[in-house]
Amino acid sequence: MAVQAVPTKGNLMNTKKSLALAKNGYELLDRKRNILIREMMTLIDHANAIQEKIDNAYEEAYIALQTANVTNGFCDDLSNTIPEEDSLKLDSRSVMGVEIPILTIDEKKPQTYLHYGLRLTNSGIDKTYEKFTEVKYLTAELAEIENSVYRLAVSIKKTQKRANALKNIMIPKFEETVKFISDALDEKEREEFSRLKVIKRTKLKKAQAEKEKQAKAANA
């Protein structure tokens, strides 16, 4: 990896600061990734439990519908009497900066009346309505969890990519630059020390020669 840096103390200090910042950034990203993974695994476990419930709920709901169709005839007209669901609300919560959706369906108060008459229906219709209401709530819950898992997975992938870039590219680059500048400055200091020693030795020789010259002059 080629190092493009002038070996000065200023550049060394700046590069060390960048290195410390990159290491701190990697630690934060690694912590964020671990938290997101834990959150996603919790949701996946929940989704598996909900999936089993919703499979059973759909099975029971369609069996109830078949029974209702057999005992009451096809229920197309009756189904039109059931009001459309318009109480679905979307909110969100944040997990390490990731917006997680929250789906809610208002729990309606116990009805004091039926949406269909009793004369042409039986308990099979009631059971079908009850089972599909259960399916409705479970479907909303599962949709919330699956969307949350998808968003978390996307964020984990991005976080992992950034963490890898810091760990495998930026941090080694800064470490190599610090080593290059440090070695260059050390070599420069050694050269300066050697030069000062030579100058000092030369001065001592000149001083010694001057003393000897003066001593000879005095003895003459």
Side-chain angles (χ1 to χ4, degrees), residues 103-115:
L103 290 176
T104 56
I105 300 177
D106 289 343
E107 293 283 351
K108 295 184 178 179
K109 297 179 180 179
Q111 296 175 355
T112 57
Y113 65 92
L114 296 174
H115 297 294

Side-chain angles (χ1 to χ4, degrees), residues 197-210:
K197 284 182 67 176
V198 170
I199 292 174
K200 184 178 180 180
R201 191 181 304 116
T202 302
K203 286 182 177 180
L204 287 174
K205 287 182 178 181
K206 287 183 177 180
Q208 185 66 28
E210 186 65 26

Side-chain angles (χ1 to χ4, degrees), residues 85 87-89 103-108 136-137 140-141:
E85 181 58 65
S87 64
L88 184 67
K89 295 181 180 178
L103 290 176
T104 56
I105 300 177
D106 289 343
E107 293 283 351
K108 295 184 178 179
K136 175 181 66 177
Y137 287 108
E141 187 174 0

Side-chain angles (χ1 to χ4, degrees), residues 166-192:
L166 286 174
K167 181 181 179 181
N168 301 322
I169 299 176
M170 300 306 298
I171 291 177
K173 177 183 177 182
F174 289 136
E175 288 177 340
E176 185 176 354
T177 302
V178 168
K179 184 178 184 303
F180 168 76
I181 296 176
S182 297
D183 290 346
L185 291 177
D186 289 343
E187 181 64 26
K188 187 176 180 180
E189 287 181 1
R190 285 193 293 268
E191 291 177 356
E192 183 67 16

Side-chain angles (χ1 to χ4, degrees), residues 16-64:
K16 283 184 176 180
K17 289 180 181 178
S18 298
L19 176 59
L21 183 62
K23 288 183 176 180
N24 186 51
Y26 172 75
E27 291 177 0
L28 292 175
L29 287 173
D30 187 58
R31 192 180 309 166
K32 176 182 179 180
R33 178 190 58 191
N34 291 333
I35 292 174
L36 293 178
I37 289 175
R38 285 199 300 268
E39 182 74 16
M40 187 178 70
M41 296 307 297
T42 300
L43 289 175
I44 289 175
D45 292 339
H46 191 192
N48 291 333
I50 294 297
Q51 187 65 59
E52 185 176 352
K53 287 183 180 180
I54 201 171
D55 289 342
N56 294 332
Y58 266 105
E59 182 179 357
E60 292 175 1
Y62 279 107
I63 290 175

